[in-house]
Amino acid sequence: MHRAGWVALAGLGCDVDDPDELFARAERALACARAFGDVDLEAKALADGGLARVQAGRIAEGMAMLDEANALWCGPAANRGAATMGVCSFFTACYYAADFERAGWWVDDLRRVGILGQGSLGPTFITGHCESVQATALIELGRWSEADALLTRSLHTFETATGAAAWHPAIALADLRTREGRLAEAETLLLGKDAHLQALLPTARLHLARGDAGLAAATARRGLRLVGADRLRGTDLLSIVVEAEVAAGDLLAAADACREMADRGLGLGEPALAARATRANALVLAAGGQPADAISLVENTVDALEARLAVQRLMLTLDLITLHERAGNRAAADVEARRARSMLTGLDITLPPTARSLLDRYAELTGAPPPEAARLYRDGDTWLAASAGVVVRLRTTKGVRYLAELLGAPGCEKHALDLVDRVEGVAEGLDRRRLGSAGEVADVAARSAYRSRVEALRTAIGDALAAGEDDRAATLEDECAALTTELLTAFGLGGRGRLVASAAERARLNVTRAVRTTIERIGEALPEAGRVLDQRIRTGLYCAFEPDPGDAVRWSVHS
């Protein structure tokens, strides 16, 4: 009977998708633990039972149980293996409930007793989980540089200690990259993890950001089947379904998902989830021809949001700009743009190109000095760079012309070979990307087909397992694993198609060197304007000009 309690809790609580199943296991184990006086089993059962309650929306009760479990691990409980797995349940609950403050309370004590820290795989895994929760908190607080540094370090530490690919840090970093608009990097981090529940929400967000509404909805719905009665994760996943269905034009499906969100969120009292529900309902109202109702709903929510949800307040404010714009009320949109800029001054975040472009269409922040204008333009056989009344003449080098190409298309990535072709010209019919190489392992269309097929296979595997067709599920899993391997080998640094030889590498080096030399030359005469170029021009295999609304200098190009 005593051993049966441990059997009920075999494995990680956060790997049990359905909270009802986790709850039943934890209750059986807790009864055994108290009957036999096993404090280690009791702590693990409390942790898993607490997680199950949090997922089911009984947040206060669940967190109290998790606090009790932590107190036992910092006191009489001695089984470090069970503690390692149980603390994973604690941090998972903090993540889902956005209770990052509670996670911070326990970190020092858990480190003191050796449950968190470097060493064996268990502590390394849990430390990565803990740091991912901390980074998620930093992301929601608008401290993205800190989150980036923490996740990058955690990912490196995990892979160095274990020799295996990082898990939680990679998933959290992928979510950050999606928010920043760095979609190819996000996909690279998520490859091979899409079968697991932790990665489903970031994967669905990535598909949505890429504009693939159908794949986003399919991924989110697969997650909904897995989480069962989990009210917190279910609400997050349904918000993706709503946005995807609105993008696809299916307002009935979007409205149904909104109603399900309301049912799952009823009585939870979680501001972050309420904000997501507001955004979902506003999307449906606006798409259904009720922009005034959508605007009123979002305005009321923004005003009521807590200061700690600064990023959500900003994103809802950006939604208000779009809603006013669609309603033809530019003056109101301008007011919200000013408010958004004010919010940005207190945040360390990187807006994706679409959000930056939206803000750039409206007036600058009241009372703030307007950005200095800087221009790069052709004057006969030479180029001029001008700002703040100072003009510098530049020779017509390849670097100047590459820079002009990037400045002329803010927010758009350009392959180094495409820049070379634009500046140097290319013989008709010649594909420079294949010079000296075997070409891309998989092109864009092929990778898109792979993604769709993998998602269809994941759904089919779940259906087969539910029907008890284990052999069919295994066959489908083999096919899915093979496709995932193909995708992994088709991606190189930064998530781009991997070119297996030197033409692209030569272009990368030459374009980077030429552009940086030109920026340095401009910076000698125009220090502030040159500094902005140095910060906002991204070079590499894929290059881009990524301006920020808060830049002191705004660059334009005239050829």
Side-chain angles (χ1 to χ4, degrees):
M1 180 66 179
H2 183 202
R3 188 173 183 277
W6 283 106
V7 171
L9 291 179
L12 292 165
C14 56
D15 278 346
V16 179
D17 298 332
D18 190 335
D20 288 342
E21 179 185 349
L22 182 60
F23 178 85
R25 288 188 183 189
E27 289 297 290
R28 290 198 301 272
L30 190 59
C32 286
R34 288 173 173 168
F36 289 90
D38 188 333
V39 68
D40 292 302
L41 178 58
E42 180 178 5
K44 178 67 164 64
L46 283 167
D48 288 356
L51 173 60
R53 284 166 173 79
V54 168
Q55 291 173 328
R58 296 157 61 183
I59 297 173
E61 181 185 353
M63 285 302 186
M65 292 178 69
L66 287 157
D67 285 341
E68 188 177 350
N70 283 339
L72 289 174
W73 286 316
C74 293
N79 187 321
R80 297 294 88 172
T84 294
M85 292 187 289
V87 168
C88 189
S89 292
F90 168 67
F91 283 114
T92 299
C94 290
Y95 174 83
Y96 291 138
D99 194 347
F100 307 116
E101 186 177 13
R102 187 183 300 267
W105 292 343
W106 283 104
V107 166
D108 289 341
D109 284 339
L110 294 171
R111 287 187 188 279
R112 176 179 53 79
V113 296
I115 295 173
L116 296 181
Q118 304 308 321
S120 66
L121 173 59
T124 300
F125 180 86
I126 297 302
T127 298
H129 198 329
C130 170
E131 291 177 337
S132 298
V133 172
Q134 293 178 55
T136 302
L138 292 170
I139 291 168
E140 294 298 337
L141 292 170
R143 295 158 59 182
W144 288 12
S145 295
E146 290 179 62
D148 194 322
L150 178 60
L151 290 168
T152 301
R153 187 190 72 232
S154 183
L155 190 151
H156 175 73
T157 299
F158 185 97
E159 293 182 347
T160 300
T162 68
W167 196 254
H168 296 290
I171 292 170
L173 187 58
D175 208 24
L176 177 58
R177 293 289 179 259
T178 298
R179 292 176 187 236
E180 293 172 325
R182 297 161 66 176
L183 306 185
E185 293 177 54
E187 181 166 17
T188 302
L189 289 162
L190 289 170
L191 280 173
K193 303 177 180 69
D194 61 303
H196 298 270
L197 189 58
Q198 299 285 343
L200 278 180
L201 185 61
T203 300
R205 285 178 179 149
L206 173 62
H207 292 322
L208 197 57
R210 187 183 277 118
D212 196 334
L215 202 51
T219 303
R221 291 188 188 282
R222 176 159 61 91
L224 286 168
R225 287 194 293 274
L226 290 173
V227 301
D230 188 323
R231 298 172 69 188
L232 300 181
R233 285 180 291 181
T235 301
D236 273 341
L237 289 163
L238 282 163
S239 71
I240 298 293
V241 173
V242 172
E243 192 166 351
E245 296 295 3
V246 168
D250 191 342
L251 297 189
L252 288 177
D256 286 342
C258 276
R259 283 190 287 273
E260 189 175 346
M261 281 184 76
D263 290 342
R264 289 197 184 227
L266 189 63
L268 286 179
E270 282 297 308
L273 296 180
R276 293 188 185 99
T278 289
R279 187 169 192 273
N281 280 286
L283 284 171
V284 173
L285 287 169
Q290 298 174 268
D293 290 340
I295 289 169
S296 178
L297 180 62
V298 176
E299 285 178 339
N300 291 336
T301 301
V302 169
D303 291 340
L305 268 183
E306 302 171 18
R308 69 182 177 89
L309 299 174
V311 175
Q312 288 210 28
R313 292 178 70 237
L314 172 64
M315 296 307 168
L316 284 171
T317 303
L318 293 173
D319 287 340
L320 274 177
I321 299 172
T322 301
L323 289 169
H324 283 305
E325 193 174 61
R326 289 176 181 172
N329 191 343
R330 184 177 177 86
D334 186 72
V335 169
E336 295 302 336
R338 293 172 187 272
R339 179 155 67 158
R341 288 181 183 278
S342 180
M343 292 177 183
L344 273 171
T345 61
L347 299 174
D348 171 26
I349 71 173
T350 302
L351 291 177
T354 51
R356 291 198 301 267
S357 177
L358 177 66
L359 279 182
D360 283 346
R361 293 202 292 270
Y362 292 92
E364 303 302 324
L365 177 63
T366 301
E372 187 72 46
R375 292 192 304 148
L376 180 67
Y377 58 99
R378 186 188 294 274
D379 180 28
D381 293 333
T382 62
W383 285 78
L384 302 177
S387 180
V390 178
V391 179
V392 58
R393 187 172 293 275
L394 304 167
R395 291 188 300 111
T396 304
T397 62
K398 292 177 183 177
V400 172
R401 296 170 67 189
Y402 295 147
L403 181 59
E405 289 289 332
L406 295 174
L407 291 177
C412 296
E413 288 184 329
K414 293 179 179 288
H415 195 288
L417 281 171
D418 292 335
L419 287 172
V420 170
D421 288 348
R422 288 278 296 175
V423 168
E424 297 183 16
V426 61
E428 185 177 353
L430 178 64
D431 184 354
R432 295 175 65 99
R433 297 192 189 205
R434 295 186 181 275
L435 292 178
S437 85
E440 288 198 359
V441 177
D443 62 19
V444 174
R447 291 199 295 268
S448 179
Y450 274 126
R451 295 182 197 110
S452 297
R453 179 57 182 160
V454 166
E455 181 54 42
L457 283 169
R458 296 290 187 209
T459 300
I461 290 166
D463 291 343
L465 290 172
E469 299 173 356
D470 294 349
D471 289 343
R472 179 168 173 267
T475 300
L476 293 170
E477 184 59 51
D478 288 343
E479 181 183 351
C480 193
L483 285 175
T484 301
T485 300
E486 289 290 329
L487 266 177
L488 285 165
T489 57
F491 279 81
L493 184 64
R496 303 301 172 190
R498 179 169 54 84
L499 294 172
V500 294
S502 59
E505 178 62 12
R506 286 197 301 271
R508 181 187 70 81
L509 291 172
N510 291 337
V511 169
T512 297
R513 186 182 303 113
V515 169
R516 291 300 167 189
T517 299
T518 300
I519 291 174
E520 184 178 352
R521 172 75 179 91
I522 292 172
E524 291 173 356
L526 308 171
E528 187 63 23
R531 184 187 64 81
V532 170
L533 285 179
D534 188 53
Q535 290 180 338
R536 303 307 178 194
I537 293 290
R538 171 160 57 88
T539 52
L541 188 59
Y542 279 73
C543 306
F545 171 47
E546 300 174 324
D548 187 271
D551 287 340
V553 176
R554 178 168 295 167
W555 274 94
S556 62
V557 65
H558 306 276
S559 58

